[in-house]
Amino acid sequence: MLSMEQTLLLVKPDGVRRNLVGEVLSRIERKGYVIANLKMVNVSTDLLGEHYAEHRDKPFFASLVRYMSTGSVVAAVIEGERVIEGVRSLSGSTEPTLAVPGTIRGDLGRDWGSGQIENIVHSSDSPESAEREIALWFPAD
Ligand code: IDP
Ligand code: MG
């Protein structure tokens, strides 16, 4: 049985600033996934706090929210069979210095020495996260 999924993809402020929106979306499309919804937003710290609720008690939380507030974010709903795993795989691991070449973070990201991990994209990590995050970023849909 087909189990079509949706996931939330964000191009973070560093990705937008570096003009990588097209590059990121192009990789998603070339993989065969469908962009089901798309917008550019200036995000409130309230929304970011909700989005990153699982990290609220981490030492990097304040810095993470600050980084995510440095500019516009592009939010997209991506659709396809096993797309949650697929977009995580395309994104690569969290630290861009170590992310495998061929992935978005591995090809396009690096460490900038700020202490904050800037890694171009976010993608949902489970069906539960995807449902929660899509409702948060696209509430009317
Ligand atoms: P993920 O984005 O690969 O799912 P998470 O562990 O969920 O990684 O962390 C969310 C985001 O928080 C990361 O993408 C990164 O921007 C930032 N982050 C994660 N760990 C650290 C850290 O140790 N220091 C600074 N920022 C971090
Ligand atoms: Mg995560």
Side-chain angles (χ1 to χ4, degrees), residues 70-86:
T70 57
S72 301
V73 170
V74 168
V77 177
I78 311 298
E79 205 167 77
E81 191 70 18
R82 297 183 68 189
V83 71
I84 299 169
E85 296 163 276

Side-chain angles (χ1 to χ4, degrees), residues 93 95-101 106:
S93 59
E95 281 195 58
T97 294
L98 303 177
V100 173

Side-chain angles (χ1 to χ4, degrees), residues 8-27:
L8 181 82
L9 171 77
L10 302 178
V11 183
K12 296 179 172 184
D14 55 321
V16 173
R17 210 157 30 237
R18 292 180 54 211
N19 301 320
L20 294 173
V21 175
E23 171 72 31
V24 169
L25 294 179
S26 170
R27 287 175 181 231

Side-chain angles (χ1 to χ4, degrees), residues 116-132:
Q116 177 52 52
I117 297 177
E118 301 188 10
N119 52 13
I120 306 168
V121 287
H122 164 85
S123 59
S124 309
D125 64 5
S126 67
E128 295 71 31
S129 305
E131 191 178 355
R132 188 183 75 82

Side-chain angles (χ1 to χ4, degrees), residues 52 54-55 88 122-123 125:
Y52 281 125
E54 65 172 311
H55 297 307
R88 290 287 288 188
H122 164 85
S123 59
D125 64 5

